[in-house]
């Protein structure tokens, strides 16, 4: 059974601090990794994707991929109250084109 | 915005009645997906389509059928709704065109379905 695991939270972070969200996956051959943000009552919104080992930065967001340890993380710098949401990690396993979603981590930015 | 709309946005129906949810996209994306999202389960794939009249089952397809007679429309039908199908349903698209790699999925606004 291919799995994507996330801590459900809530993760509380002071405004202006760095929020660190983590995700582990079971299929060692996985190639494609995604982070979605979902506000309460809204649909998931793609905010980052990463395909290679290392870091990928986009504005205040950095995705980090470590295939050897089978984890992917999302860092949010200078956290804002508007970052409060549920963050979904998603993975496309090798030899399978159907994306698998984690159950999400709730992030709460404290003003 | 990937030009995706879903209808209806909210629906309450009774057990045993048929229900059809519609996903409409305006940008000729090849791949379309139906998911349901439930507390404690996250997003689960119901069915997907890789072209007109080409569909396949996902993880939780029992009790659901789909049709895609036109590129822009992907219909999800609950033949006889049950209370266990109360959920939020999301449509998504992906494609290898217009700057998309084929792997990223973009979601519609969702349909909240309640089966009483």
């Amino acid at each position: 059974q291919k799995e994507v695991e996330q801590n459900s939270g809530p993760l509380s972070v002071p405004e202006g601090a760095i929020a660190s969200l983590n995700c582990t996956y079971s299929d060692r051959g996985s190639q494609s990794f995604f982070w979605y943000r979902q506000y309460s009552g809204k649909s998931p919104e793609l905010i980052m994707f990463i395909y290679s080992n290392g870091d990928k930065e986009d504005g205040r967001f950095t995705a980090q991929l470590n295939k050897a340890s089978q984890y992917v993380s999302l860092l949010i710098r200078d956290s804002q109250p508007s970052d409060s949401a549920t963050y979904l990690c998603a993975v496309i396993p090798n030899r399978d084109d159907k994306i698998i979603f984690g159950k999400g981590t709730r992030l709460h930015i404290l003003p | 915005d990937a030009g995706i709309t879903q209808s209806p946005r909210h629906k309450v129906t009774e057990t045993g009645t048929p229900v059809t949810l519609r996903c409409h996209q305006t940008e000729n994306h090849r791949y379309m997906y139906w998911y349901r999202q439930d507390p404690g389960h996250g997003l689960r794939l119901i069915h997907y389509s890789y072209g007109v009249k080409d569909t396949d089952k996902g993880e939780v397809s029992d009790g659901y059928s789909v049709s895609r007679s036109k590129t822009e429309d992907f219909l999800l039908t609950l033949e006889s709704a049950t209370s266990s199908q109360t959920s939020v349903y999301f449509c998504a698209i992906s494609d290898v065109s217009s700057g998309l790699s084929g792997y990223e999925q973009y979601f519609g606004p969702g349909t909240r379905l309640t089966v009483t």
Side-chain angles (χ1 to χ4, degrees):
Chain A
Q1 182 79 2
K2 299 168 185 173
E3 294 181 336
V4 176
E5 299 288 343
Q6 296 182 255
N7 189 314
S8 62
L11 174 65
S12 295
V13 174
E15 183 175 356
I18 296 174
S20 178
L21 303 162
N22 298 311
C23 170
T24 59
Y25 58 94
S26 61
D27 191 319
R28 180 168 290 278
S30 297
Q31 297 294 319
S32 307
F33 307 87
F34 310 88
W35 283 101
Y36 287 81
R37 178 177 62 199
Q38 186 174 24
Y39 294 114
S40 181
K42 302 296 185 181
S43 60
E45 173 192 8
L46 180 66
I47 55 172
M48 290 288 286
F49 56 88
I50 186 168
Y51 302 141
S52 302
N53 257 341
D55 295 0
K56 179 182 179 181
E57 186 175 319
D58 184 1
R60 295 187 298 112
F61 298 100
T62 299
Q64 299 177 319
L65 175 60
N66 184 323
K67 290 186 177 181
S69 299
Q70 295 177 234
Y71 80 79
V72 56
S73 61
L74 179 70
L75 302 179
I76 306 175
R77 290 182 300 280
D78 188 23
S79 296
Q80 302 297 310
S82 60
D83 295 325
S84 296
T86 296
Y87 289 80
L88 308 177
C89 174
V91 176
I92 296 181
N94 196 29
R95 298 181 300 278
D96 188 329
D97 60 353
K98 292 183 281 293
I99 198 170
I100 299 174
F101 288 85
K103 295 178 183 179
T105 298
R106 285 186 295 139
L107 175 65
H108 182 46
I109 305 301
L110 304 169
Chain B
D1 183 357
I4 308 169
T5 57
Q6 293 185 232
S7 59
R9 295 292 314 278
H10 302 271
K11 185 170 183 67
V12 179
T13 192
E14 293 184 349
T15 298
T17 60
V19 176
T20 295
L21 308 183
R22 181 190 186 220
C23 178
H24 179 76
Q25 52 117 342
T26 59
E27 299 182 15
N28 287 326
H29 296 300
R30 178 180 177 186
Y31 301 96
M32 300 183 75
Y33 310 83
W34 276 108
Y35 291 89
R36 60 179 289 175
Q37 188 174 39
D38 306 286
H41 290 279
L43 279 162
R44 293 181 290 175
L45 181 65
I46 305 171
H47 281 280
Y48 65 100
S49 170
Y50 42 97
V52 173
K53 298 186 179 179
D54 289 325
T55 64
D56 207 346
K57 297 179 180 180
E59 176 188 359
V60 290
S61 59
D62 287 349
Y64 301 95
S65 62
V66 291
S67 65
R68 192 170 179 198
S69 59
K70 299 184 290 184
T71 299
E72 58 265 36
D73 287 326
F74 192 31
L75 304 180
L76 177 71
T77 297
L78 292 65
E79 301 290 348
S80 177
T82 68
S83 58
S84 64
Q85 294 176 310
T86 292
S87 187
V88 179
Y89 291 86
F90 289 106
C91 174
I93 63 92
S94 66
D95 205 346
V96 186
S97 66
S98 304
L100 303 178
S101 73
Y103 299 113
E104 307 97 75
Q105 293 188 15
Y106 297 87
F107 286 81
T111 294
R112 184 173 296 275
L113 176 68
T114 302
V115 183
T116 62

